[in-house]
Amino acid sequence: MVSIDLPTQEEFEKAQEAADNDNHQDVKAFYGFSRIEEFDDYTEFMSYVAAKKAASASSDAFETKCALDNYEHYGKILLLAIGAGALVEAVIGDARF
């Protein structure tokens, strides 16, 4: 998945030059901009970004799976409660006659 907040190679190089000259305000910020000085080239930077985005997506997927599992669990409990209520009503209704 490509994100629009990622820089092109030219933007990355411009950001590195700005970081070398302490002119951070002259460059449009992008994802990972604060760590730009840690990377030697664009490929290293994009590898870092891809790893961070993959970890984030994995975490989001895990949280979503847990939430769906919880909804399924509570849905089953609700159906069992409705069934038990209907059964009790049927037994009490039969006992009244």
Side-chain angles (χ1 to χ4, degrees):
M1 181 170 159
V2 177
S3 178
I4 60 172
D5 65 343
L6 297 178
T8 63
Q9 187 164 357
E10 293 79 25
E11 291 172 329
F12 174 78
E13 291 168 358
K14 185 177 177 182
Q16 274 193 320
E17 289 175 17
D20 290 342
N21 298 327
D22 292 327
N23 293 329
H24 294 283
Q25 66 275 8
D26 294 343
V27 180
K28 180 185 87 167
F30 47 81
Y31 184 85
F33 177 74
S34 61
R35 302 185 70 160
I36 194 91
E37 296 169 346
E38 299 176 20
F39 303 99
D40 294 329
D41 62 6
Y42 185 68
T43 305
E44 275 184 39
F45 175 73
M46 291 306 287
S47 296
Y48 162 77
V49 169
K52 292 298 275 184
K53 294 239 179 209
S56 176
S58 174
S59 176
D60 290 347
F62 177 75
E63 290 173 10
T64 301
K65 181 186 179 305
C66 288
L68 290 174
D69 287 347
N70 286 338
Y71 287 134
E72 180 183 9
H73 177 73
Y74 293 128
K76 287 178 182 178
I77 290 173
L78 179 63
L79 289 175
L80 286 172
I82 291 171
L87 180 63
V88 168
E89 181 65 30
V91 169
I92 291 173
D94 287 344
R96 289 183 185 167
F97 292 108

